[in-house]
Amino acid sequence: MAEQIYLTQYGLMAEHHWREFLPTMVREMEASGSFIEALFDAQEMTIDEMESLTRQLETEQQMTPQQAHDRAWEMIREKYVLLPPEES
């Protein structure tokens, strides 16, 4: 039985962004059957880094949980989710 993959806000945001700004990449991943897995991987890496970085910022920079979360998102959002657009 195949494992069910659920997308969170990060995975859904990546899908929307990638479809709009990376259509060639999306078409290639869909053709190879790797699109959903790539979204899930981007989501999971974002979640893992967000949790780690948020804790680090709270501890080392004495930020509130919300401040740390917001700063962590600013630092890693373009790493997995909001990838740079394709060249025209």
Side-chain angles (χ1 to χ4, degrees), residues 6-37:
Y6 294 98
L7 295 178
T8 66
Q9 65 186 13
Y10 298 126
L12 295 171
M13 186 183 301
E15 180 179 15
H16 177 77
H17 179 81
W18 295 2
R19 286 189 186 281
E20 183 173 351
F21 296 103
L22 301 152
T24 302
M25 181 187 85
V26 169
R27 276 193 302 276
E28 290 170 359
M29 285 194 291
E30 286 180 326
S32 71
S34 64
F35 182 61
I36 297 299
E37 186 175 342

